[in-house]
Amino acid sequence: MGINLPGLITQLISFAILVFLLTRFLYKPVVKLLDERAEKIKKGLSDAESASKGAEEAASKIEEELSQARLEGKKLIEAARDASNRLREDEKEKITSEISQMMDKAKKEINSERDSAILELKNRFGELVVDAAGKVIEKEIDEKSHSELIKKALEEKSL
Amino acid sequence: MNKSIILPFFIILFITSILGGAIGGAFPFGGFFQSPIAHIQLPAEKIPGLGVFNTSLTLWIGMIILMTFVLLATRNMKNVPDGRLQNIAEVIVEFFVNLAQTISGSEKGRRFVPLVLSIFLCVVVSNWVGVLPGVGTVGIVESAEVVYSHKEHKVDSCHSSDHSSDHGSDHKDFNCKEALKEHLVVFESIPGTGIKYLPPGRGESKVEKGGGVVLVEDVIHSHSKLESKTYDQKHEKPLSSNLEGKYAGRLLPLLRGANTDLNTTLAIAIVAMVAVQFWGISALGIRKYGGKFFNFSSPIMLFVGLLEFIAELARVVSFTFRLFGNMFAGEVLLVAMMFLLPFIGIIPFMGLELFVGVIQAFIFSILTLIFGITAISDHSEH
């Protein structure tokens, strides 16, 4: 059958050497690498998980802050609008009152102008009337009748 | 080559191989590519001059190929592999690590992996090297004298009777001739080079009726050169003249599948089973593990222990013969197909042999793993 001691010992030694070499150069380095990689992957996964958790938290925080900011912004805009409205109202009122004041002032001035004009007219009207009447009657009226005439004329006029 | 040529090409090849092979050899016009059915012998051949067996040589070549791949694959290992070799190495190692851990159900299964992995790789690589062309077909031509000197003992015991009686007439002489019959084939040689080769054709079947069988004795007289006159003197059947001056001898393959030798498979089986015992002792302690085999508490347990012991031995034997049988049968199958259908007959069977090579390697390694797991598991609690 071919079993003989030299052949068997040769093959035994050869196979033993092969087992040693394969263990040393294949099994050990590859298993080491696989274990390292498994460790790394595990670590990477847990890192990624924590990172994603952190990111989620950050995102929700940002969302919260954003909505808060939005709310605040809304409030601010509201306030600004109110303020501007108020300002406009105030301004309007101010302008209106100024205008009315000015109008009052103008009216008063106009009135005073008119009064003074009327007064002057009154003062000068008598003279004019006297002059006119003297011219009409063409005669000298004494002082007495003169003033009487004025008075009479004034009374008539002031009616 | 375009498609319209391929099909006719293969049909012609197929017909040629049928006609040229042994099947066609049955007809007068066929058998032009027929080779003599190769000499099939169980023991590995020792290569003269080197002093090693050809199966050892093949095993070493397989080891060199394997270690080259391993060193290339693991030389520059990266966490993110860029070479394919590293991936292959990782896949194989990881497969066995996972397998060992799954079957044993724990991390401790890892201790089996180095040996199981080595067995698998060693067996698969040496099986595949055995399928390579040239393995088993290229070698040294042993001259008839050498074959004769191997058989000297048998021949010596016959010689006297051979001289006293006439050839072929008495029963004893017939037996002697049977003993002297060897699978010698007739080689042609390339002039000036000393390279000998087997010519295609049916030449051998014309030497003797046995189909490629030449009587050693006949050739010895002619110093392994066939000469028709020696034949003419000794036999009533004249040797055809076209064999004159050719070499009669036997091919001694330089390489032969490592697992077609019982020494290799027995060596691996011994290593595996010794390792199994070692695992068992280291896991359970020598007292507990040895108690499986030598239990003197009761006659029944003694018998059970004896059976366990025999079973362990039987495992070595079954390991040895399973692998040897499969690989040897594969080699014979390839030779037979080469004989029956030259060129194409061998193709499907080469694929089959590659498959069988992996399967047998896997079976060997998995059985080692399972035996190891059985050995380290504690049965005393039952």
mmCIF file of all heavy atoms in Angstrom, chain B residues 94-128:
data_model
loop_
_atom_site.group_PDB
_atom_site.id
_atom_site.type_symbol
_atom_site.label_atom_id
_atom_site.label_comp_id
_atom_site.label_asym_id
_atom_site.label_seq_id
_atom_site.Cartn_x
_atom_site.Cartn_y
_atom_site.Cartn_z
ATOM 1 N N GLU B 94 -11.391 34.221 8.049
ATOM 2 C CA GLU B 94 -12.606 34.610 8.759
ATOM 3 C C GLU B 94 -13.651 33.507 8.684
ATOM 4 O O GLU B 94 -14.362 33.248 9.662
ATOM 5 C CB GLU B 94 -13.161 35.902 8.149
ATOM 6 C CG GLU B 94 -14.103 36.619 9.093
ATOM 7 C CD GLU B 94 -14.460 37.982 8.574
ATOM 8 O OE1 GLU B 94 -14.296 38.213 7.359
ATOM 9 O OE2 GLU B 94 -14.907 38.814 9.369
ATOM 10 N N PHE B 95 -13.711 32.847 7.534
ATOM 11 C CA PHE B 95 -14.668 31.752 7.374
ATOM 12 C C PHE B 95 -14.425 30.675 8.432
ATOM 13 O O PHE B 95 -15.358 30.232 9.103
ATOM 14 C CB PHE B 95 -14.529 31.163 5.969
ATOM 15 C CG PHE B 95 -15.366 29.942 5.741
ATOM 16 C CD1 PHE B 95 -16.727 30.058 5.530
ATOM 17 C CD2 PHE B 95 -14.804 28.673 5.760
ATOM 18 C CE1 PHE B 95 -17.507 28.941 5.322
ATOM 19 C CE2 PHE B 95 -15.571 27.551 5.558
ATOM 20 C CZ PHE B 95 -16.927 27.690 5.343
ATOM 21 N N PHE B 96 -13.156 30.298 8.592
ATOM 22 C CA PHE B 96 -12.875 29.228 9.549
ATOM 23 C C PHE B 96 -13.014 29.701 10.993
ATOM 24 O O PHE B 96 -13.470 28.935 11.845
ATOM 25 C CB PHE B 96 -11.485 28.635 9.289
ATOM 26 C CG PHE B 96 -11.504 27.635 8.183
ATOM 27 C CD1 PHE B 96 -11.093 27.983 6.919
ATOM 28 C CD2 PHE B 96 -11.978 26.359 8.391
ATOM 29 C CE1 PHE B 96 -11.147 27.072 5.884
ATOM 30 C CE2 PHE B 96 -12.032 25.438 7.370
ATOM 31 C CZ PHE B 96 -11.622 25.794 6.114
ATOM 32 N N VAL B 97 -12.650 30.954 11.242
ATOM 33 C CA VAL B 97 -12.827 31.475 12.602
ATOM 34 C C VAL B 97 -14.314 31.472 12.956
ATOM 35 O O VAL B 97 -14.721 31.007 14.030
ATOM 36 C CB VAL B 97 -12.224 32.892 12.718
ATOM 37 C CG1 VAL B 97 -12.651 33.536 14.013
ATOM 38 C CG2 VAL B 97 -10.721 32.838 12.638
ATOM 39 N N ASN B 98 -15.129 31.963 12.023
ATOM 40 C CA ASN B 98 -16.570 32.002 12.284
ATOM 41 C C ASN B 98 -17.141 30.609 12.450
ATOM 42 O O ASN B 98 -17.975 30.360 13.323
ATOM 43 C CB ASN B 98 -17.296 32.721 11.145
ATOM 44 C CG ASN B 98 -17.055 34.204 11.192
ATOM 45 O OD1 ASN B 98 -16.630 34.730 12.216
ATOM 46 N ND2 ASN B 98 -17.303 34.879 10.092
ATOM 47 N N LEU B 99 -16.677 29.708 11.570
ATOM 48 C CA LEU B 99 -17.170 28.337 11.622
ATOM 49 C C LEU B 99 -16.842 27.704 12.973
ATOM 50 O O LEU B 99 -17.705 27.107 13.629
ATOM 51 C CB LEU B 99 -16.518 27.545 10.498
ATOM 52 C CG LEU B 99 -17.182 26.228 10.116
ATOM 53 C CD1 LEU B 99 -18.512 26.519 9.471
ATOM 54 C CD2 LEU B 99 -16.299 25.472 9.165
ATOM 55 N N ALA B 100 -15.587 27.869 13.396
ATOM 56 C CA ALA B 100 -15.166 27.266 14.666
ATOM 57 C C ALA B 100 -15.953 27.868 15.822
ATOM 58 O O ALA B 100 -16.390 27.152 16.728
ATOM 59 C CB ALA B 100 -13.667 27.486 14.867
ATOM 60 N N GLN B 101 -16.171 29.165 15.763
ATOM 61 C CA GLN B 101 -16.899 29.795 16.858
ATOM 62 C C GLN B 101 -18.366 29.397 16.850
ATOM 63 O O GLN B 101 -18.982 29.220 17.900
ATOM 64 C CB GLN B 101 -16.770 31.311 16.761
ATOM 65 C CG GLN B 101 -15.393 31.770 17.216
ATOM 66 C CD GLN B 101 -15.205 33.250 17.087
ATOM 67 O OE1 GLN B 101 -16.087 33.940 16.593
ATOM 68 N NE2 GLN B 101 -14.073 33.740 17.509
ATOM 69 N N THR B 102 -18.940 29.238 15.644
ATOM 70 C CA THR B 102 -20.350 28.854 15.564
ATOM 71 C C THR B 102 -20.542 27.429 16.055
ATOM 72 O O THR B 102 -21.454 27.155 16.838
ATOM 73 C CB THR B 102 -20.848 28.959 14.113
ATOM 74 O OG1 THR B 102 -20.383 30.167 13.566
ATOM 75 C CG2 THR B 102 -22.351 28.897 14.055
ATOM 76 N N ILE B 103 -19.685 26.521 15.582
ATOM 77 C CA ILE B 103 -19.884 25.117 15.937
ATOM 78 C C ILE B 103 -19.596 24.894 17.416
ATOM 79 O O ILE B 103 -20.340 24.204 18.115
ATOM 80 C CB ILE B 103 -18.998 24.207 15.056
ATOM 81 C CG1 ILE B 103 -19.444 24.322 13.595
ATOM 82 C CG2 ILE B 103 -19.125 22.755 15.492
ATOM 83 C CD1 ILE B 103 -18.615 23.493 12.648
ATOM 84 N N SER B 104 -18.508 25.485 17.902
ATOM 85 C CA SER B 104 -18.189 25.262 19.314
ATOM 86 C C SER B 104 -19.034 26.161 20.209
ATOM 87 O O SER B 104 -19.124 25.922 21.407
ATOM 88 C CB SER B 104 -16.715 25.524 19.564
ATOM 89 O OG SER B 104 -16.441 26.892 19.383
ATOM 90 N N GLY B 105 -19.638 27.158 19.616
ATOM 91 C CA GLY B 105 -20.567 27.995 20.376
ATOM 92 C C GLY B 105 -19.898 28.977 21.310
ATOM 93 O O GLY B 105 -20.547 29.535 22.176
ATOM 94 N N SER B 106 -18.609 29.190 21.160
ATOM 95 C CA SER B 106 -17.967 30.162 22.036
ATOM 96 C C SER B 106 -16.654 30.614 21.430
ATOM 97 O O SER B 106 -16.213 30.123 20.398
ATOM 98 C CB SER B 106 -17.721 29.571 23.417
ATOM 99 O OG SER B 106 -16.792 28.519 23.295
ATOM 100 N N GLU B 107 -16.017 31.543 22.136
ATOM 101 C CA GLU B 107 -14.741 32.081 21.684
ATOM 102 C C GLU B 107 -13.649 31.020 21.701
ATOM 103 O O GLU B 107 -12.673 31.126 20.981
ATOM 104 C CB GLU B 107 -14.323 33.242 22.591
ATOM 105 C CG GLU B 107 -14.969 34.563 22.240
ATOM 106 C CD GLU B 107 -14.242 35.260 21.101
ATOM 107 O OE1 GLU B 107 -13.010 35.323 21.141
ATOM 108 O OE2 GLU B 107 -14.921 35.730 20.178
ATOM 109 N N LYS B 108 -13.819 30.006 22.543
ATOM 110 C CA LYS B 108 -12.733 29.034 22.688
ATOM 111 C C LYS B 108 -12.554 28.185 21.444
ATOM 112 O O LYS B 108 -11.555 27.474 21.329
ATOM 113 C CB LYS B 108 -12.971 28.149 23.912
ATOM 114 C CG LYS B 108 -14.181 27.250 23.797
ATOM 115 C CD LYS B 108 -14.395 26.498 25.078
ATOM 116 C CE LYS B 108 -15.683 25.688 25.034
ATOM 117 N NZ LYS B 108 -15.974 25.018 26.280
ATOM 118 N N GLY B 109 -13.508 28.273 20.526
ATOM 119 C CA GLY B 109 -13.365 27.554 19.265
ATOM 120 C C GLY B 109 -12.182 28.040 18.455
ATOM 121 O O GLY B 109 -11.751 27.369 17.534
ATOM 122 N N ARG B 110 -11.660 29.199 18.813
ATOM 123 C CA ARG B 110 -10.560 29.769 18.039
ATOM 124 C C ARG B 110 -9.290 28.941 18.109
ATOM 125 O O ARG B 110 -8.471 29.000 17.212
ATOM 126 C CB ARG B 110 -10.240 31.166 18.557
ATOM 127 C CG ARG B 110 -11.142 32.191 17.981
ATOM 128 C CD ARG B 110 -10.507 33.526 18.102
ATOM 129 N NE ARG B 110 -11.332 34.512 17.418
ATOM 130 C CZ ARG B 110 -10.939 35.741 17.206
ATOM 131 N NH1 ARG B 110 -9.774 36.140 17.634
ATOM 132 N NH2 ARG B 110 -11.728 36.575 16.580
ATOM 133 N N ARG B 111 -9.138 28.188 19.169
ATOM 134 C CA ARG B 111 -7.884 27.445 19.309
ATOM 135 C C ARG B 111 -7.732 26.396 18.220
ATOM 136 O O ARG B 111 -6.633 25.970 17.910
ATOM 137 C CB ARG B 111 -7.817 26.789 20.686
ATOM 138 C CG ARG B 111 -8.668 25.530 20.767
ATOM 139 C CD ARG B 111 -8.443 24.795 22.051
ATOM 140 N NE ARG B 111 -9.220 25.422 23.125
ATOM 141 C CZ ARG B 111 -9.313 24.917 24.343
ATOM 142 N NH1 ARG B 111 -8.663 23.832 24.627
ATOM 143 N NH2 ARG B 111 -10.050 25.494 25.257
ATOM 144 N N PHE B 112 -8.877 25.963 17.635
ATOM 145 C CA PHE B 112 -8.802 24.927 16.604
ATOM 146 C C PHE B 112 -8.390 25.490 15.260
ATOM 147 O O PHE B 112 -7.930 24.761 14.395
ATOM 148 C CB PHE B 112 -10.156 24.235 16.430
ATOM 149 C CG PHE B 112 -10.722 23.685 17.705
ATOM 150 C CD1 PHE B 112 -11.926 24.141 18.196
ATOM 151 C CD2 PHE B 112 -10.044 22.699 18.392
ATOM 152 C CE1 PHE B 112 -12.442 23.627 19.371
ATOM 153 C CE2 PHE B 112 -10.554 22.184 19.556
ATOM 154 C CZ PHE B 112 -11.759 22.659 20.057
ATOM 155 N N VAL B 113 -8.615 26.788 15.096
ATOM 156 C CA VAL B 113 -8.525 27.353 13.744
ATOM 157 C C VAL B 113 -7.158 27.174 13.082
ATOM 158 O O VAL B 113 -7.109 26.772 11.924
ATOM 159 C CB VAL B 113 -8.960 28.829 13.752
ATOM 160 C CG1 VAL B 113 -8.806 29.436 12.386
ATOM 161 C CG2 VAL B 113 -10.399 28.923 14.196
ATOM 162 N N PRO B 114 -6.025 27.429 13.766
ATOM 163 C CA PRO B 114 -4.754 27.301 13.048
ATOM 164 C C PRO B 114 -4.579 25.952 12.372
ATOM 165 O O PRO B 114 -4.236 25.889 11.191
ATOM 166 C CB PRO B 114 -3.713 27.514 14.139
ATOM 167 C CG PRO B 114 -4.381 28.338 15.150
ATOM 168 C CD PRO B 114 -5.823 27.943 15.130
ATOM 169 N N LEU B 115 -4.869 24.884 13.085
ATOM 170 C CA LEU B 115 -4.665 23.562 12.489
ATOM 171 C C LEU B 115 -5.714 23.275 11.418
ATOM 172 O O LEU B 115 -5.388 22.781 10.335
ATOM 173 C CB LEU B 115 -4.697 22.475 13.568
ATOM 174 C CG LEU B 115 -4.409 21.093 13.004
ATOM 175 C CD1 LEU B 115 -2.991 20.989 12.524
ATOM 176 C CD2 LEU B 115 -4.715 20.016 14.006
ATOM 177 N N VAL B 116 -6.969 23.607 11.729
ATOM 178 C CA VAL B 116 -8.044 23.321 10.775
ATOM 179 C C VAL B 116 -7.793 24.071 9.469
ATOM 180 O O VAL B 116 -7.914 23.519 8.369
ATOM 181 C CB VAL B 116 -9.403 23.715 11.397
ATOM 182 C CG1 VAL B 116 -10.494 23.658 10.360
ATOM 183 C CG2 VAL B 116 -9.740 22.790 12.547
ATOM 184 N N LEU B 117 -7.402 25.321 9.612
ATOM 185 C CA LEU B 117 -7.094 26.144 8.441
ATOM 186 C C LEU B 117 -5.922 25.561 7.672
ATOM 187 O O LEU B 117 -5.950 25.471 6.435
ATOM 188 C CB LEU B 117 -6.771 27.555 8.932
ATOM 189 C CG LEU B 117 -6.405 28.610 7.906
ATOM 190 C CD1 LEU B 117 -7.636 28.994 7.137
ATOM 191 C CD2 LEU B 117 -5.833 29.820 8.597
ATOM 192 N N SER B 118 -4.888 25.134 8.399
ATOM 193 C CA SER B 118 -3.709 24.577 7.734
ATOM 194 C C SER B 118 -4.065 23.310 6.983
ATOM 195 O O SER B 118 -3.615 23.101 5.860
ATOM 196 C CB SER B 118 -2.623 24.272 8.763
ATOM 197 O OG SER B 118 -2.276 25.426 9.461
ATOM 198 N N ILE B 119 -4.873 22.459 7.612
ATOM 199 C CA ILE B 119 -5.267 21.219 6.944
ATOM 200 C C ILE B 119 -6.011 21.541 5.661
ATOM 201 O O ILE B 119 -5.716 21.010 4.597
ATOM 202 C CB ILE B 119 -6.139 20.353 7.880
ATOM 203 C CG1 ILE B 119 -5.284 19.752 8.988
ATOM 204 C CG2 ILE B 119 -6.813 19.241 7.101
ATOM 205 C CD1 ILE B 119 -6.062 18.988 10.017
ATOM 206 N N PHE B 120 -6.962 22.466 5.773
ATOM 207 C CA PHE B 120 -7.748 22.803 4.580
ATOM 208 C C PHE B 120 -6.845 23.300 3.464
ATOM 209 O O PHE B 120 -6.899 22.800 2.340
ATOM 210 C CB PHE B 120 -8.796 23.858 4.926
ATOM 211 C CG PHE B 120 -9.580 24.320 3.739
ATOM 212 C CD1 PHE B 120 -10.579 23.537 3.219
ATOM 213 C CD2 PHE B 120 -9.293 25.526 3.133
ATOM 214 C CE1 PHE B 120 -11.292 23.946 2.111
ATOM 215 C CE2 PHE B 120 -10.000 25.942 2.027
ATOM 216 C CZ PHE B 120 -10.999 25.148 1.518
ATOM 217 N N LEU B 121 -6.001 24.287 3.793
ATOM 218 C CA LEU B 121 -5.179 24.888 2.740
ATOM 219 C C LEU B 121 -4.180 23.886 2.176
ATOM 220 O O LEU B 121 -3.993 23.801 0.963
ATOM 221 C CB LEU B 121 -4.453 26.118 3.293
ATOM 222 C CG LEU B 121 -5.371 27.304 3.560
ATOM 223 C CD1 LEU B 121 -4.590 28.435 4.194
ATOM 224 C CD2 LEU B 121 -6.025 27.780 2.275
ATOM 225 N N CYS B 122 -3.570 23.111 3.062
ATOM 226 C CA CYS B 122 -2.582 22.127 2.608
ATOM 227 C C CYS B 122 -3.231 21.118 1.675
ATOM 228 O O CYS B 122 -2.739 20.863 0.576
ATOM 229 C CB CYS B 122 -1.981 21.415 3.820
ATOM 230 S SG CYS B 122 -0.876 20.077 3.385
ATOM 231 N N VAL B 123 -4.381 20.592 2.099
ATOM 232 C CA VAL B 123 -5.018 19.554 1.299
ATOM 233 C C VAL B 123 -5.532 20.123 -0.012
ATOM 234 O O VAL B 123 -5.323 19.538 -1.085
ATOM 235 C CB VAL B 123 -6.158 18.880 2.101
ATOM 236 C CG1 VAL B 123 -6.928 17.925 1.224
ATOM 237 C CG2 VAL B 123 -5.598 18.154 3.297
ATOM 238 N N VAL B 124 -6.141 21.293 0.049
ATOM 239 C CA VAL B 124 -6.727 21.824 -1.179
ATOM 240 C C VAL B 124 -5.626 22.198 -2.170
ATOM 241 O O VAL B 124 -5.742 21.926 -3.372
ATOM 242 C CB VAL B 124 -7.691 22.991 -0.874
ATOM 243 C CG1 VAL B 124 -6.974 24.277 -0.620
ATOM 244 C CG2 VAL B 124 -8.660 23.177 -2.014
ATOM 245 N N VAL B 125 -4.566 22.786 -1.678
ATOM 246 C CA VAL B 125 -3.502 23.184 -2.607
ATOM 247 C C VAL B 125 -2.812 21.956 -3.191
ATOM 248 O O VAL B 125 -2.571 21.885 -4.399
ATOM 249 C CB VAL B 125 -2.502 24.121 -1.906
ATOM 250 C CG1 VAL B 125 -1.279 24.314 -2.763
ATOM 251 C CG2 VAL B 125 -3.143 25.454 -1.630
ATOM 252 N N SER B 126 -2.526 20.946 -2.351
ATOM 253 C CA SER B 126 -1.850 19.783 -2.921
ATOM 254 C C SER B 126 -2.778 19.015 -3.848
ATOM 255 O O SER B 126 -2.319 18.449 -4.845
ATOM 256 C CB SER B 126 -1.283 18.884 -1.820
ATOM 257 O OG SER B 126 -2.258 18.588 -0.877
ATOM 258 N N ASN B 127 -4.085 19.022 -3.567
ATOM 259 C CA ASN B 127 -5.021 18.385 -4.502
ATOM 260 C C ASN B 127 -5.015 19.099 -5.839
ATOM 261 O O ASN B 127 -5.041 18.463 -6.899
ATOM 262 C CB ASN B 127 -6.445 18.412 -3.938
ATOM 263 C CG ASN B 127 -6.639 17.387 -2.852
ATOM 264 O OD1 ASN B 127 -5.793 16.549 -2.646
ATOM 265 N ND2 ASN B 127 -7.742 17.476 -2.157
ATOM 266 N N TRP B 128 -5.027 20.414 -5.761
ATOM 267 C CA TRP B 128 -5.093 21.175 -7.021
ATOM 268 C C TRP B 128 -3.802 21.074 -7.802
ATOM 269 O O TRP B 128 -3.820 21.028 -9.038
ATOM 270 C CB TRP B 128 -5.448 22.638 -6.732
ATOM 271 C CG TRP B 128 -6.906 22.815 -6.473
ATOM 272 C CD1 TRP B 128 -7.857 21.853 -6.561
ATOM 273 C CD2 TRP B 128 -7.582 24.011 -6.108
ATOM 274 N NE1 TRP B 128 -9.086 22.371 -6.252
ATOM 275 C CE2 TRP B 128 -8.946 23.696 -5.976
ATOM 276 C CE3 TRP B 128 -7.173 25.319 -5.881
ATOM 277 C CZ2 TRP B 128 -9.902 24.633 -5.636
ATOM 278 C CZ3 TRP B 128 -8.122 26.265 -5.539
ATOM 279 C CH2 TRP B 128 -9.479 25.920 -5.407
#
